Amino acid sequence: MTAGRPLLERLRNAGISPTDSEELRLQKSLLFFATGLISLASMVWLSIYWQLGPRFSSNLPFALQLLLVGNLLVYLKTLNFNVFRLIQLSLFLFTPFVAQWSIGGFITASGISLWALLAPIGALLFIGTRESGAWFFAYVFLTMLSGGFDYYLADSPSSWQQTVPTQTTAFFFALNFTAVSAIVYLLLRYSDSEKHRVQQRLQEAHQLLQIEQERSERLLLNILPAPIAERLKNSKEPIADGFAEVSVMFADIVNFTRLAEGLTPQQVFAMLNKIFSCFDELAEQYGLEKIKTIGDAYMVAGGLNDARSDYTGALADMAIEMCRLLRDDANINAMHLELRIGIGSGPVVAGVVGKKKFIYDLWGDTVNVASRVTSEGVPGMVQVDELSYRRLRDRFDFHPGQTIHLKGKGNMVVHRLIGRREAGAAPGA
């Protein structure tokens, strides 16, 4: 039983090409199955007929076997399925009528022409609904032609009459109807089983596709803000937006290059990954947009693609929390690293540049100011520019403003953040 299964599987898949569609695969498999059923049934039919007494020539069933198998071998050689299908259906259609005419009439042959019904049914399964109509019309025409012959020639003295016992005739009427019905049922059952199998494979492929799509979505959202990712998927137009006022923050690890000289690449990566992963969680907690990391610098912004009005305050709270984490949490900052943090506010241009390995980035004077304020800052302190200070001064305490020289900008007043003011406290300097 186990040894026969691979053989049956090979026969079921014979002549099927990897490039065939699922529908064509099913049609080929059904036609192979139908050919096997009819070949087996014709030999069983003849042997039973002989056992019951009548001795008709076996030439026709034998010729049918040769034609069916021969056409099958030619198909396996040429792989011309259209020709193979046409010949097999023609054999299904004409052979039963030829057998009936050779035996006698419709009654004498016990309605053997009913087997020809397998041709239009097969055409429906192997070709399609529209094409099966011609085969059904041919079946009806041959059936009416046979009935006409029986009607007009039944009483003819020259008509050949074959003596077949009434019991045998009745038995084979039942046998022919049962056999044809069984083959039709098996073909429909097999077709439905294969369709369910194909549907299951499609569902599995769809589930895998959904998993991959969700994974791709997550990866894309890890690179781009959600609104930008959606626009990138739905449009090929360049993405560039202007924002009248945005707050940008840079956080730079003090003396990182010198400290990293004594570490292995794996240790450097592990240290940065631990610190920046905590910063990512804070950015998500405060509803801010991480833009990118640049070496040992971390860039985040507020006021992009959202309706939050207090994004500058959120940046200030995040900056304070970043400093606290590195100061108090030895698990995150075992090397006692310090940060320089700078915040700048103003107009920016935001967008996606390029077509490969793209990132969402910001450009403009505000970005330059935030970067310069950071590089000129004091370790462990948060410095903000004048516009950011005006947005924060009612809720946060600051040291008195200081004038510093920024490369490319000249002298500029900056303010060092102390912390969020307690409720009811008077404004500080």
Side-chain angles (χ1 to χ4, degrees):
M1 185 73 179
T2 305
R5 186 175 297 276
L7 177 61
L8 291 175
E9 195 68 21
R10 286 197 299 270
L11 289 175
R12 188 174 71 87
N13 295 320
I16 295 179
S17 170
T19 59
D20 290 341
S21 65
E22 293 292 350
E23 183 179 2
L24 185 56
R25 285 171 177 263
L26 178 59
Q27 291 176 356
K28 289 181 177 180
S29 183
L30 281 171
L31 187 50
F32 270 67
F33 186 52
T35 299
L37 287 176
I38 293 175
S39 298
L40 176 65
S42 64
M43 298 308 296
V44 172
W45 186 93
L46 183 65
S47 63
I48 294 176
Y49 212 76
W50 278 31
Q51 290 296 322
L52 292 179
R55 291 292 188 271
F56 293 113
S57 172
S58 61
N59 289 338
L60 186 61
F62 183 67
L64 177 62
Q65 300 298 312
L66 291 179
L67 290 172
L68 290 174
V69 175
N71 187 38
L72 181 60
L73 295 176
V74 170
Y75 164 65
L76 294 177
K77 181 74 174 178
T78 63
L79 295 180
N80 191 331
F81 182 65
N82 291 332
V83 174
F84 170 63
R85 180 170 54 189
L86 176 64
I87 294 176
Q88 295 297 80
L89 288 177
S90 299
L91 291 173
F92 295 170
L93 177 64
F94 291 109
T95 305
F97 285 103
V98 173
Q100 179 171 295
W101 297 337
S102 65
I103 295 173
F106 185 82
I107 302 299
T108 306
S110 302
I112 196 174
S113 61
L114 182 65
W115 286 80
L117 182 60
L118 295 176
I121 292 176
L124 185 64
L125 295 174
F126 313 147
I127 307 178
T129 305
R130 181 180 300 178
E131 293 82 355
S132 65
W135 290 93
F136 182 73
F137 176 80
Y139 166 76
V140 172
F141 173 77
L142 290 174
T143 301
M144 297 298 294
L145 184 64
S146 298
F149 287 158
D150 285 0
Y151 180 80
Y152 287 107
L153 300 178
D155 297 328
S156 174
S158 60
S159 62
W160 180 77
Q161 298 291 335
Q162 174 70 39
T163 303
V164 179
T166 304
Q167 294 89 340
T168 302
T169 301
F171 174 80
F172 270 92
F173 261 115
L175 179 63
N176 287 331
F177 277 92
T178 301
V180 172
S181 300
I183 291 177
V184 170
Y185 170 76
L186 289 174
L187 285 175
L188 293 176
R189 182 186 177 93
Y190 182 77
S191 174
D192 184 70
S193 174
E194 288 297 301
K195 286 181 178 178
H196 278 298
R197 184 180 301 180
V198 170
Q199 190 175 29
Q200 185 175 3
R201 287 202 301 267
L202 289 175
Q203 288 177 345
E204 292 173 355
H206 182 66
Q207 289 175 352
L208 292 175
L209 185 62
Q210 281 186 319
I211 292 172
E212 289 300 320
Q213 185 176 7
E214 290 172 359
R215 185 178 302 166
S216 299
E217 290 280 348
R218 288 196 299 269
L219 288 173
L220 191 60
L221 291 176
N222 281 336
I223 299 172
L224 302 173
I228 301 300
E230 193 66 27
R231 287 169 59 185
L232 192 66
K233 288 188 297 182
N234 297 330
S235 174
K236 295 182 179 180
E237 296 296 323
I239 296 178
D241 300 313
F243 294 90
E245 190 170 326
V246 169
S247 292
V248 180
M249 178 176 75
F250 282 93
D252 188 18
I253 299 177
V254 179
N255 295 327
F256 178 79
T257 303
R258 180 178 58 81
L259 293 170
E261 288 178 353
L263 302 176
T264 65
Q266 290 77 12
Q267 289 174 321
V268 171
F269 171 80
M271 179 175 59
L272 285 178
N273 185 57
K274 183 182 292 186
I275 293 173
F276 287 166
S277 294
C278 290
F279 292 173
D280 288 345
E281 293 176 2
L282 288 176
E284 186 174 359
Q285 174 184 336
Y286 288 105
L288 300 168
E289 194 69 57
K290 174 190 175 182
I291 304 301
K292 60 183 177 181
T293 58
I294 314 164
D296 60 340
Y298 187 91
M299 181 181 180
V300 64
L304 299 168
N305 307 303
D306 59 49
R308 179 169 183 163
S309 60
D310 190 25
Y311 48 84
T312 310
L315 271 179
D317 285 330
M318 179 178 172
I320 295 170
E321 185 64 17
M322 290 163 68
C323 292
R324 188 199 66 78
L325 278 174
L326 264 63
R327 184 181 64 248
D328 299 340
D329 196 331
N331 291 326
I332 296 175
N333 186 19
M335 297 188 67
H336 306 289
L337 301 174
E338 290 185 297
L339 293 175
R340 289 192 188 95
I341 299 179
I343 299 175
S345 297
V348 299
V349 174
V352 177
V353 174
K355 294 183 178 180
K356 294 183 178 180
K357 298 183 180 179
F358 44 75
I359 63 170
Y360 185 68
D361 208 349
L362 307 181
W363 299 271
D365 190 58
T366 301
V367 178
N368 296 330
V369 168
S371 178
R372 298 287 188 271
V373 169
T374 303
S375 60
E376 298 297 332
V378 177
M381 296 295 294
V382 181
Q383 291 195 148
V384 304
D385 67 348
E386 185 65 27
L387 181 57
S388 301
Y389 168 74
R390 289 200 296 268
R391 291 178 61 91
L392 297 172
R393 62 188 175 185
D394 293 334
R395 291 161 292 145
F396 291 83
D397 290 325
F398 290 88
H399 291 289
Q402 294 181 335
T403 301
I404 61 175
H405 181 80
L406 300 182
K407 182 179 178 181
K409 295 297 294 182
N411 293 331
M412 178 176 288
V413 177
V414 297
H415 302 264
R416 292 176 183 171
L417 178 65
I418 298 175
R420 181 175 281 274
R421 185 177 305 131
E422 296 182 6

